[in-house]
Amino acid sequence: MIDLYTSATPNGWKATIALEELELPYTLHNVNLSEGEQHREDFLALNPNGRIPVIVDRKADNFPVFESGAILIYLAEKTGKLMPSDVKGRSRVIQWLMFQMGGIGPMQGQAVTFERYFPEDVPQARARYKNETRRLYEVLDRRLGEAEFLAGDYSIADIATWAWVHTHRWGRIPVEGLDHLHRWIEAIRERPACQRGILIPPPAGRADEQKKRGASIVTQ
């Protein structure tokens, strides 16, 4: 029913975890970022921005959806799961989803880029993005001291945010003292669908291979 074009990245894991949670059948198409397959014309026809993930809903006249947050909303609304239908509940989920899309993703992404992939050492950039990511983690920690999950019940907001936050060690983002965040990370890590999702497609493996893959998509 769903064709999924993706790779083993935090944004890619959002889609695979959601599809596994929702138990939707899908066909995996692994996009080799190191080889630049995301820039091929056939892929750009699905996503003009040349980024993964992308889904194509074959049961909806081959409807393509790009941008990971948009994919999560589409799948939640399609199935009626992982997002409430009432106005306030839906808004809470979307607020925290947008917090990830506009904050955690961009800031942590830049932190990882300057910490791991950038060809030159730029200490000011490394400090700036790591400190901002830590600040955003503190926002999450305060919220998770009030509720079990970000929007109350487990939702696409948790999937999107966890896909990034659980990789904090790769960006060397400190998480000491964030007990509520730790509790939430481990609770989601134990979900079987989550465990399956982060292995689809298989990860890069060794740290040097992962670094090589990431460095291949750095824009200077």
Side-chain angles (χ1 to χ4, degrees):
M1 181 172 65
I2 301 287
D3 276 0
L4 170 65
Y5 298 83
T6 192
S7 189
T9 73
N11 283 336
W13 292 325
K14 296 179 194 176
T16 52
I17 293 171
L19 287 163
E20 292 292 324
E21 289 279 9
L22 295 168
E23 299 181 317
L24 287 172
Y26 63 97
T27 301
L28 176 68
H29 303 273
N30 191 356
V31 180
N32 190 325
L33 303 180
S34 299
E35 298 296 324
E37 292 180 355
Q38 70 274 27
H39 302 305
R40 295 189 331 196
E41 287 302 318
D42 57 342
F43 187 84
L44 292 174
L46 301 175
N47 181 1
N49 194 35
R51 295 290 186 270
I52 61 95
V54 177
I55 64 169
V56 179
D57 190 343
R58 299 301 180 189
K59 286 195 173 181
D61 299 321
N62 298 326
F63 183 63
V65 185
F66 64 89
E67 285 295 326
S68 57
I71 290 171
L72 293 179
I73 293 172
Y74 180 83
L75 294 175
E77 291 182 338
K78 181 181 180 69
T79 60
K81 300 177 181 178
L82 297 177
M83 184 165 64
S85 58
D86 66 285
V87 173
K88 290 183 179 178
R90 185 177 184 275
S91 179
R92 288 189 193 98
V93 170
I94 292 177
Q95 287 175 59
W96 285 106
L97 176 61
M98 294 302 106
F99 177 81
Q100 186 282 310
M101 297 292 295
I104 296 288
M107 294 299 104
Q108 187 170 333
Q110 291 298 320
V112 169
T113 294
F114 284 103
E115 189 71 20
R116 294 283 190 173
Y117 305 145
F118 207 70
E120 300 144 14
D121 184 17
V122 188
Q124 297 91 338
R126 286 194 292 112
R128 184 265 188 276
Y129 288 113
K130 289 170 67 175
N131 290 342
E132 177 61 7
T133 303
R134 166 69 190 210
R135 186 191 71 80
L136 295 172
Y137 282 12
E138 291 170 0
V139 174
L140 293 174
D141 188 68
R142 286 195 296 273
R143 171 56 181 165
L144 293 167
E146 304 168 347
E148 183 178 7
F149 297 105
L150 291 174
D153 295 326
Y154 181 68
S155 71
I156 56 173
D158 298 287
I159 292 173
T161 308
W162 185 88
W164 278 91
V165 173
H166 91 281
T167 69
H168 62 87
R169 291 186 182 88
W170 185 241
R172 300 190 178 103
I173 311 299
V175 294
E176 290 76 19
L178 304 180
D179 295 342
H180 304 300
L181 185 67
H182 274 288
R183 185 266 308 163
W184 173 84
I185 290 173
E186 294 308 313
I188 297 178
R189 193 192 308 276
E190 293 175 1
R191 297 180 69 89
C194 181
Q195 294 173 9
R196 294 192 301 270
I198 59 173
L199 296 178
I200 304 170
R206 301 194 317 267
D208 59 336
E209 289 296 323
Q210 189 171 344
K211 184 173 180 179
K212 179 181 177 182
R213 178 182 294 186
S216 71
I217 59 174
V218 169
T219 301
Q220 296 188 51

